[in-house]
Amino acid sequence: MSLSEDNKKIKLVMFDMDGVLFDSMPYHATSWNKAMKDFGLELSEAEAYMHEGRTGSGTINIITQRQLGREADEEECKRIYACKSKYFNSCPTAQRMPGAFETVSKVKECGITPIIVTGSGQVSLMERIERSFPNLFKSEWMVCAKDVKYGKPNPEPYLMGLKKANVDARNAIVIENAPLGVQAGHAAGCFVIAVNTGPLPDNVLLESGADVLYHSMTELSQNIEKYLK
Ligand code: MG
């Protein structure tokens, strides 16, 4: 999909949160690795980046299927996810991603609505959005863990953002750092800007359906305006 075709007008920019707005992914990856280990399961930090965007139970079931040949039951999922959250909450506070504030500010200055679409339900992060990005995001249209059933790579979270904003996919941009998030945005029909802020090779994001790729939010902040026409 190209932005130059038709007379498209961008009305909405949907930002993923972890790894885009906050530099939180290293903490998620190490927390997943430690929690799985506590339950006799193996999930390397590198692999955790590949699962970014899934629901907690979605990730857990992939690992139990592979290692135990079965899905985890609800109780196991709860315990493992609680353990992962415990490790995550003991990590240092994730900092705002350099360049993220500038990117969101430019979107807003262009008269376009920025919203957050995330599978995360981390209370600490949600509360910090307003502190780190004051008066920038339209919180009524935010999509988070409690809103979604399937999670990424299902297009559901982005379709929900479009629905809340009453905007057509052709008039929206998705900004994502994770392969499954890129897939979700692409499947929702949006123009997807990938920002590779993690350890994965660029081609993983490009093959997931990214329309363009930048290597940092700072680099994106210097280029975002050309996509907002
Ligand atoms: Mg992310």
Side-chain angles (χ1 to χ4, degrees):
M1 191 184 306
S2 160
L3 279 181
S4 59
E5 60 189 48
D6 307 339
N7 53 346
K8 287 169 193 159
K9 173 98 176 70
I10 294 303
K11 294 174 182 159
L12 182 73
V13 178
M14 296 189 277
F15 287 84
D16 171 52
M17 187 166 70
D18 291 300
V20 169
L21 299 176
F22 291 101
D23 193 8
S24 45
M25 270 314 292
Y27 303 142
H28 282 293
T30 188
S31 302
W32 269 121
N33 174 260
K34 286 184 194 165
M36 289 292 191
K37 209 172 275 172
D38 286 358
F39 288 83
L41 298 165
E42 273 175 51
L43 172 58
S44 71
E45 291 185 26
E47 188 187 347
Y49 282 88
M50 292 298 295
H51 294 300
E52 186 192 347
R54 284 193 208 286
T55 61
S57 55
T59 300
I60 291 163
N61 280 323
I62 284 176
I63 307 310
T64 59
Q65 277 287 5
R66 183 172 70 202
Q67 215 172 315
L68 310 173
R70 62 168 179 83
E71 295 216 326
D73 62 37
E74 212 180 311
E75 192 53 37
E76 287 173 310
C77 275
K78 258 190 208 158
R79 283 165 56 212
I80 298 172
Y81 195 73
C83 181
K84 185 261 171 179
S85 298
K86 179 195 75 185
Y87 280 122
F88 182 80
N89 290 331
S90 72
C91 289
T93 303
Q95 297 300 301
R96 197 170 67 186
M97 192 68 87
F101 180 83
E102 291 77 4
T103 304
V104 182
S105 296
K106 282 187 180 178
V107 169
K108 189 103 191 252
E109 280 160 22
C110 286
I112 295 163
T113 310
I115 67 167
I116 296 176
V117 174
T118 177
S120 177
Q122 296 289 338
V123 176
S124 56
L125 273 179
M126 304 294 182
E127 286 167 351
R128 285 182 42 245
I129 290 168
E130 256 323 292
R131 221 179 316 146
S132 299
F133 299 91
N135 303 316
L136 285 177
F137 288 105
K138 190 161 175 83
S139 55
E140 305 94 294
W141 295 348
M142 179 169 176
V143 177
C144 65
K146 67 173 170 44
D147 297 306
V148 299
K149 184 175 175 198
Y150 303 106
K152 301 164 188 177
N154 192 293
E156 175 201 32
Y158 286 115
L159 291 175
M160 199 169 287
L162 291 169
K163 196 174 166 196
K164 284 190 185 193
N166 192 25
V167 166
D168 193 278
R170 287 171 305 169
N171 304 113
I173 290 175
V174 164
I175 300 181
E176 264 288 351
N177 70 303
L180 300 179
V182 169
Q183 281 181 42
H186 182 74
C190 300
F191 185 85
V192 182
I193 300 177
V195 186
N196 194 0
T197 60
L200 301 174
D202 289 350
N203 70 316
V204 176
L205 290 162
L206 292 168
E207 285 163 13
S208 295
D211 293 281
V212 285
L213 182 144
Y214 291 95
H215 292 99
S216 68
M217 286 301 284
T218 301
E219 193 191 358
L220 176 60
S221 73
Q222 292 154 359
N223 289 276
I224 185 70
E225 279 150 315
K226 66 183 171 202
Y227 302 103
L228 302 176
K229 303 282 173 351

